[in-house]
Amino acid sequence: MKNLKLGVIMMNDALTREGIKFLIARLLENANDAVEESKKDKNDQFAAGRRLAYYEMLDILKTELDIKEQDLKDFGLDVNLENKIA
């Protein structure tokens, strides 16, 4: 029962705008690392999949923020993800 209460408390905690910016910055940093790793060995399917996964996550976030008419530059997503990551 204690774990259930903890889960409810955590679900009630809203992610702040600054928290979202921080998470996106971390994802962009990791995506850049994944791009560099996949360029080292073009036959490494794991590295290629990792790169694609970061692209997909960032593309979803960018699309959702755009739909909600948020300033993409404010979130660090004012870039062409296809050219940069995919």
Side-chain angles (χ1 to χ4, degrees), residues 38-62:
S38 71
K39 285 181 180 179
K40 289 179 186 175
D41 183 0
K42 298 208 183 272
N43 294 322
D44 185 344
Q45 291 182 348
F46 177 79
R50 184 171 173 248
R51 179 180 180 167
L52 179 60
Y54 279 109
Y55 166 78
E56 291 292 337
M57 287 185 285
L58 289 164
D59 187 55
I60 289 167
L61 289 167
K62 183 176 181 176

Side-chain angles (χ1 to χ4, degrees), residues 7-85:
V8 171
I9 291 169
M10 292 176 75
M11 293 291 287
N12 289 333
D13 290 341
L15 192 57
T16 65
R17 185 176 187 86
E18 292 306 310
I20 294 170
K21 288 179 189 179
F22 173 77
L23 290 173
I24 290 171
R26 292 284 314 274
L27 287 170
L28 285 167
E29 184 179 313
N30 289 349
N32 288 331
D33 291 344
V35 168
E36 292 305 313
E37 184 180 322
S38 71
K39 285 181 180 179
K40 289 179 186 175
D41 183 0
K42 298 208 183 272
N43 294 322
D44 185 344
Q45 291 182 348
F46 177 79
R50 184 171 173 248
R51 179 180 180 167
L52 179 60
Y54 279 109
Y55 166 78
E56 291 292 337
M57 287 185 285
L58 289 164
D59 187 55
I60 289 167
L61 289 167
K62 183 176 181 176
T63 300
E64 290 300 317
L65 290 168
D66 194 36
I67 289 169
K68 292 175 178 31
E69 298 181 358
Q70 299 297 309
D71 183 4
L72 296 177
K73 186 174 184 176
D74 193 35
F75 288 91
L77 288 173
D78 59 327
V79 296
N80 185 328
L81 294 173
E82 287 185 25
N83 289 338
K84 186 172 180 158
I85 300 170

